[in-house]
Amino acid sequence: MEKIFGFFDDANREYVITDPATPFPWINYLGNEDFFGLISNTAGGYDFYKDAKFRRITRYRYNGVPMDAGGRYFYIKDGDSVWNPGWKPCKTPLDSYECRHGMNYTRIAGSKDGVEASVLFFVPLKTWAEVQKLTLTNTTGKVKTLQLFSFAEWCLWNAATDMENFQRNWSTGEVEIENGNVIYHKTEYKERRNHYAYYALTNAKADGYDTDRETFIGLYNDFTNPQCVVAGKPGMSVAHGWSPIASHYVEVELQPGEHKDFVFVLGYAENEQEKKFSLPQPLQKEGGLITSLGTLDRTIINKEKAHEVIQRFASVEAVDAAFSELRQMWDGLLSKFTVASADERLNRMVNIWNQYQCMITFCFSRSASFFESGVGRGMGFRDSNQDLVGFVHQVPSRARQRIIDIASTQFPDGGCYHQYQPLTKRGNNDIGGGFNDDPCWLIFGTVAYIKETGDFSILDEMVPWDNQPGTEVTLFDHLRISFNHVVENLGPHALPLIGRADWNDCLNLNCFSWDPNESFQTTENNSEGSKAESLMIAGLFVLTGKQYVSLCKELAKRSVECINYQHEAARAQACIDAMVEAVKQHGWDGEWYLRAYDFYGNKIGSKENEEGKIFIESQGFCTMAGIGLEDGMVDKALDSCKRYLDCAHGMVLNHPAFTRYYVEMGEISSYPAGYKENAGIFCHNNPWVIIGETVARRGNDAWEHYTKICPAWIKDQSLHKVEPYVYCQMVAGKDAAKPGEGKNSWLTGTAAWNWLTITQYILGIRPTYEGLEIDPCIPSALSEYRVHRVLRDAEFDITVKNPDGRESGVRSIVVDGIPVQGNVITATPGHHTVEVAM
Ligand code: GLC
Ligand code: GLC
């Protein structure tokens, strides 16, 4: 029997962890708009405001020993014993432990020697703060006298320099302390920063505090034995430089059976420039006129904003009310699409965890997880476009804003910065640029938004190039120019030039790097004279190009400029036809699609190659685009995926894995065989092949691939290692030392793509401009399922029946008792009952 560390509680939409020593920290995310926290099952992690690099609020040590050091810790001292509700950091054995990760909240409970401690962590809606409600209960028949210490360590704002610039950092730290109950972090506040952070105990009086780490912990102690906790006495320290922290000390007496709640608020505030400092005492003249503003103290924070939040959460009732608002928000978000089937694993992925992960990837792109340090990567151009497709049904208005933000970073020729910084929304080249797939993704994201909302007005929005005022053109123009970017960058086989790389950031065909000190992602490229072409972009172009054509046709129906749009549709269609021809001519290897041509025009991903004979990306995109479907190419390519790429844990990216370094391919061959882009199971591109399977109408095959990488089907939690409730970017492939071991959980396009796959292509409930297309492609064993889908002002209750065990095909659709022709149902406002027979 494999060891089990937790289980799903679907009724509460929680994953319940029962053993704190999970194979890796299993984390959750707090907050969903501006203020965020990462929290592990032992309360490790950190908070930040909007941007994990520039506005890091609390400190965290990545890659530390032990793993997962730094977090929000409560120390409970009961006589000689010191313990934490979440086991860490003291790791004192607990009598019971449970961590419940829910939708943007986590509840961690531990008990020891008749004391129960339960902490609820969440970020209330529209609030720039993490609220922690700690409940202490005495379950014994005797009076308990406990000493409680809270703990948070401030990050000096910039998470990057915080880890390296010690000659400055160790002198800049500053705090303020208000009645011992509120500890303010104000490093750099008196100069250019207009923001501060605070940690408050809101509903009780603190009996002491510490703000200096060395005093609280001791220079040669660690989180497991802070000297103040061990001594049972706060240090009342005031930090000057070094490492400022925030710790409250409370003496707690509990009668038999009694419980007490303590509310802590860890927040962030920004002040307007003219209101930065503490309010002066106005001098009053006779008659009540203000004569002078007095002297402003330009070192003391104006604390009004913190006070407001502290007041707002000064009672348990207020906290509970805010928590139920958060739960209600999630009730609403998750009610837009639900499935009911006989398979609870399917239901829990669709109804809860896949949607939740889509919200998280929408918020964070690839910036902050336990694998992404929050320092190196902001919001990716392609990443964010994909993420919003998984999220758009939840809060369409936020997806709309995201599309505008992303498009605003584009260059006038359609090229893109590969990422932008969430705080400034400006593009940067920190992780490279010139990826020739990037522009296509804007079409992908925008079309998904319009199909969800019916909001064509987004296309008229005026959007700048590279955020330069005065350069605005319509969003539609951005799409047109994105489409053209591919057309204007074709190589010798009339296939798309790859540029720096395509979706696979590690297939660096123009890089030729021999210098270990340069990054494959940003090093100078030799694209001049390059013949490197990508079949992945070819497939992506055909797929998104078709979307662009149907958008133009739709606009032709709706607009006075009908002729122009018809003309544009015809022009674009001709480019797509030419691309399809080029793929058939130069992109087919006999049993599968080639992957690319290299700098010199040699084939990559061909039976002629020694290693890397077949790659998944081009199989995924060319089958999704249906290239050569009528010639049997799609079926053959899918069969080849099964034969060469598939294994027990999913499909690997390429086969055979590269065993040596190929300078003409770059980073892909830098990884050991079976890991990451070198034949790892890159979960992100499994769904492409799965959608391809639905294009070929192979429901059983689609389902088999789907369940292999789906978290709800994971059996061996120790092997899988990372969280069993969300997708990870990569699972070690069949050539790896430990096939099946997961890495890089949470922030991956896998979430959005699997959401698309299961809802739109397997269950087959697909938004169109008109309404919903019903097109199931399911395992033949699935005899019935029901879907509740809200689309715009329409609400559908759809029952799909499959009595004959088919894999696809709709025989009849009855809407509100009336049979309809075809398989598209119109989104007329109101509630509709839909009966589908397969
Ligand atoms: C990572 C990146 C994504 C890239 C993929 C393949 O997941 O976020 O942009 O496409 O790796 O290299
Ligand atoms: C590395 C990773 C890849 C990621 C890229 C982004 O190359 O292997 O997955 O997309 O970095 O910078």
Side-chain angles (χ1 to χ4, degrees):
M1 253 305 268
E2 282 105 19
K3 188 158 186 215
I4 295 291
F5 295 86
F7 60 91
F8 288 98
D9 176 351
D10 294 338
N12 284 309
R13 300 195 194 113
E14 290 171 337
Y15 190 85
V16 187
I17 300 165
T18 49
D19 181 341
T22 44
F24 200 73
W26 286 359
I27 73 163
N28 193 14
Y29 286 84
L30 311 176
N32 53 50
E33 225 167 336
D34 292 330
F35 188 99
F36 300 107
L38 278 64
I39 183 165
S40 72
N41 57 307
T42 56
Y46 58 90
D47 288 340
F48 62 95
Y49 169 77
K50 278 192 185 170
D51 190 311
K53 177 175 180 180
F54 289 125
R55 289 291 183 279
R56 188 76 67 98
I57 296 169
T58 53
R59 195 174 266 172
Y60 188 73
R61 287 163 187 78
Y62 277 92
N63 202 11
V65 178
M67 184 61 191
D68 191 22
R72 41 304 250 177
Y73 296 140
F74 291 104
Y75 294 90
I76 296 163
K77 185 162 158 58
D78 180 1
D80 286 339
S81 120
V82 177
W83 56 280
N84 314 102
W87 182 59
K88 279 188 71 183
C90 293
K91 290 183 280 175
T92 307
L94 300 175
D95 298 336
S96 69
Y97 160 88
E98 184 183 84
C99 167
R100 290 179 171 261
H101 284 320
M103 307 288 105
N104 283 148
Y105 67 87
T106 287
R107 197 193 291 274
I108 297 178
S111 71
K112 180 140 190 82
D113 302 331
V115 176
E116 272 174 20
S118 167
V119 199
L120 171 67
F121 302 89
F122 72 106
V123 174
L125 300 180
K126 308 282 170 213
T127 304
W128 293 354
E130 173 184 317
V131 167
Q132 307 162 345
K133 184 179 106 172
L134 165 71
T135 307
L136 291 173
T137 309
N138 177 1
T139 60
T140 71
K142 294 197 194 109
V143 177
K144 279 271 185 190
T145 310
L146 309 170
Q147 292 171 299
L148 171 71
F149 296 82
S150 69
F151 176 80
E153 181 176 7
W154 304 116
C155 178
L156 305 186
W157 302 117
N158 181 325
T161 57
D162 187 63
M163 293 188 291
E164 48 189 37
N165 193 7
F166 304 110
Q167 59 80 24
R168 171 176 167 86
N169 293 346
W170 284 348
S171 290
T172 55
E174 290 188 285
V175 297
E176 277 181 49
I177 302 156
E178 198 176 35
N179 309 321
N181 265 55
V182 194
I183 295 154
Y184 293 87
H185 177 222
K186 61 167 188 177
T187 299
E188 296 182 343
Y189 187 76
K190 68 176 173 303
E191 33 129 335
R192 294 156 300 168
R193 294 191 183 277
N194 65 347
H195 43 268
Y196 61 92
Y198 56 93
Y199 191 30
L201 167 59
T202 69
N203 71 333
K205 181 82 197 79
D207 299 303
Y209 58 83
D210 269 291
T211 68
D212 170 52
R213 194 182 75 199
E214 193 172 324
T215 310
F216 182 70
I217 292 187
L219 193 56
Y220 295 108
N221 288 28
D222 55 54
F223 291 134
T224 69
N225 58 355
Q227 62 188 13
C228 285
V229 177
V230 173
K233 198 170 175 297
M236 314 299 278
S237 56
V238 181
H240 298 285
W242 299 113
S243 289
I245 58 147
S247 171
H248 304 91
Y249 168 72
V250 194
E251 289 167 2
V252 185
E253 193 179 270
L254 292 173
Q255 299 304 313
E258 192 191 7
H259 78 267
K260 278 188 181 155
D261 294 304
F262 298 92
V263 178
F264 295 86
V265 173
L266 206 167
Y268 168 91
E270 279 177 3
N271 278 339
E272 296 83 42
Q273 191 59 31
E274 52 305 341
K275 292 193 187 153
K276 253 180 93 163
F277 299 103
S278 87
L279 283 184
Q281 290 299 309
L283 298 178
Q284 304 283 314
K285 214 165 100 179
E286 278 160 72
L289 281 173
I290 297 169
T291 53
S292 145
L293 282 176
T295 344
L296 212 59
D297 187 335
R298 290 182 187 280
T299 64
I300 305 292
I301 310 170
N302 170 1
K303 306 182 181 61
E304 274 172 41
K305 294 207 172 147
H307 288 165
E308 187 276 319
V309 178
I310 292 168
Q311 282 301 312
R312 192 142 43 93
F313 299 105
S315 73
V316 173
E317 293 71 34
V319 171
D320 292 346
F323 182 58
S324 74
E325 273 176 33
L326 175 69
R327 302 234 1 172
Q328 278 161 28
M329 184 205 79
W330 275 101
D331 289 344
L333 290 182
L334 297 178
S335 67
K336 307 257 177 86
F337 194 118
T338 57
V339 68
S341 79
D343 193 328
E344 63 170 12
R345 293 166 299 188
L346 171 65
N347 302 348
R348 77 167 59 108
M349 282 319 293
V350 170
N351 299 342
I352 308 170
W353 292 98
N354 197 171
Q355 296 203 56
Y356 182 52
Q357 190 177 3
C358 284
M359 161 68 100
I360 300 303
T361 57
F362 176 82
C363 289
F364 295 92
S365 191
R366 307 295 168 265
S367 64
S369 70
F370 271 26
F371 292 84
E372 300 281 9
S373 66
V375 169
R377 300 177 71 186
M379 312 295 281
F381 191 98
R382 78 158 80 90
D383 294 331
S384 294
N385 271 303
Q386 292 169 77
D387 295 341
L388 71 86
V389 168
F391 168 78
V392 61
H393 68 289
Q394 294 185 30
V395 193
S397 60
R398 289 182 68 189
R400 189 184 208 273
Q401 185 59 50
R402 180 64 52 80
I403 291 168
I404 307 289
D405 291 347
I406 297 172
S408 305
T409 67
Q410 216 175 0
F411 298 117
D413 71 347
C416 309
Y417 287 109
H418 205 37
Q419 79 162 359
Y420 70 95
Q421 211 57 40
L423 191 69
T424 60
K425 296 188 176 178
R426 293 290 189 274
N428 64 50
N429 282 321
D430 291 357
I431 59 160
F435 296 81
N436 280 351
D437 63 313
D438 271 339
C440 298
W441 296 110
L442 187 65
I443 300 176
F444 182 72
T446 308
V447 165
Y449 168 78
I450 300 175
K451 286 187 173 167
E452 181 66 35
T453 57
D455 171 20
F456 286 86
S457 78
I458 190 174
L459 296 171
D460 303 326
E461 288 290 333
M462 297 303 284
V463 181
W465 301 111
D466 193 8
N467 281 295
Q468 296 307 311
T471 63
E472 293 81 1
V473 297
T474 64
L475 181 65
F476 181 80
D477 281 328
H478 277 259
L479 300 192
R480 184 172 52 78
I481 289 166
S482 296
F483 179 88
N484 290 346
H485 189 267
V486 174
V487 179
E488 286 160 8
N489 287 284
L490 298 180
H493 301 98
L495 293 167
L497 286 168
I498 200 167
R500 177 172 288 282
D502 59 26
W503 171 87
N504 189 336
D505 285 347
C506 298
L507 190 61
N508 315 118
L509 303 182
N510 298 312
C511 181
F512 297 96
S513 179
W514 283 113
D515 179 355
N517 298 322
E518 62 192 19
S519 145
F520 288 102
Q521 303 299 316
T522 54
T523 183
E524 189 65 36
N525 256 350
N526 306 319
S527 330
E528 197 71 25
S530 168
K531 297 180 180 167
E533 298 171 301
S534 162
L535 268 302
M536 181 268 160
I537 303 182
L540 173 68
F541 173 75
V542 174
L543 186 79
T544 55
K546 285 180 181 172
Q547 296 179 331
Y548 178 67
V549 168
S550 64
L551 176 65
C552 290
K553 289 186 178 160
E554 195 63 30
L555 290 169
K557 282 194 236 157
R558 291 164 189 263
S559 149
V560 284
E561 294 169 75
C562 164
I563 304 290
N564 284 345
Y565 286 120
Q566 272 171 4
H567 192 261
E568 177 64 355
R571 176 192 77 94
Q573 187 59 51
C575 300
I576 295 166
D577 294 344
M579 186 66 75
V580 168
E581 231 9 75
V583 173
K584 289 185 179 178
Q585 286 286 317
H586 305 290
W588 181 247
D589 198 51
E591 299 288 322
W592 57 80
Y593 304 92
L594 288 177
R595 176 63 177 87
Y597 285 95
D598 72 10
F599 181 90
Y600 308 103
N602 299 320
K603 290 176 186 173
I604 292 183
S606 158
K607 55 179 178 296
E608 295 164 21
N609 295 118
E610 196 190 320
E611 301 185 320
K613 290 171 188 284
I614 170 171
F615 280 70
I616 200 169
E617 303 99 325
S618 44
Q619 316 317 318
F621 270 97
C622 295
T623 59
M624 277 196 279
I627 299 177
L629 181 65
E630 59 293 343
D631 309 325
M633 286 161 71
V634 168
D635 280 83
K636 271 193 194 154
L638 295 168
D639 289 341
S640 297
C641 289
K642 275 196 142 189
R643 188 164 325 130
Y644 301 110
L645 303 178
D646 204 18
C647 73
H649 309 285
M651 286 173 278
V652 300
L653 191 143
N654 54 298
H655 181 80
F658 297 106
T659 54
R660 62 175 176 90
Y661 180 52
Y662 295 78
V663 70
E664 71 278 19
M665 290 196 223
E667 186 166 351
I668 187 166
S669 60
S670 74
Y671 285 115
Y675 292 95
K676 290 283 283 178
E677 281 88 342
N678 184 16
I681 297 157
F682 223 87
C683 297
H684 190 145
N685 40 42
N686 276 242
W688 303 343
V689 174
I690 305 174
I691 296 176
E693 290 284 2
T694 69
V695 170
R697 316 313 283 152
R698 299 167 15 159
N700 286 329
D701 292 326
W703 183 252
E704 192 190 327
H705 288 307
Y706 173 75
T707 56
K708 274 188 182 171
I709 61 162
C710 194
W713 271 262
I714 290 165
K715 285 193 205 80
D716 189 339
Q717 298 190 333
S718 302
L719 171 65
H720 186 74
K721 204 171 168 83
V722 292
E723 297 88 340
Y725 38 90
V726 290
Y727 287 100
C728 47
Q729 181 209 47
M730 198 268 317
V731 172
K734 53 186 176 178
D735 309 286
K738 214 189 232 186
E741 182 182 73
K743 281 190 190 134
N744 203 353
S745 51
W746 283 100
L747 302 185
T748 164
T750 314
W753 273 102
N754 273 301
W755 174 251
L756 266 192
T757 302
I758 187 63
T759 59
Q760 299 196 14
Y761 293 91
I762 294 181
L763 299 175
I765 311 295
R766 191 146 69 225
T768 68
Y769 295 120
E770 239 177 81
L772 287 179
E773 184 179 351
I774 313 284
D775 185 22
C777 188
I778 56 174
S780 42
L782 186 59
S783 58
E784 179 176 334
Y785 59 95
R786 276 173 290 128
V787 168
H788 177 80
R789 177 63 156 104
V790 178
L791 184 79
R792 304 168 215 165
D793 298 324
E795 198 173 324
F796 299 97
D797 275 300
I798 306 164
T799 307
V800 179
K801 292 201 168 139
N802 181 26
D804 302 333
R806 293 169 189 256
E807 289 178 70
S808 72
V810 162
R811 264 197 282 194
S812 68
I813 299 182
V814 177
V815 180
D816 298 327
I818 301 162
V820 297
Q821 292 297 308
N823 66 342
V824 176
I825 55 182
T826 316
T828 22
H831 180 269
H832 307 286
T833 307
V834 184
E835 318 264 352
V836 181
M838 288 179 67

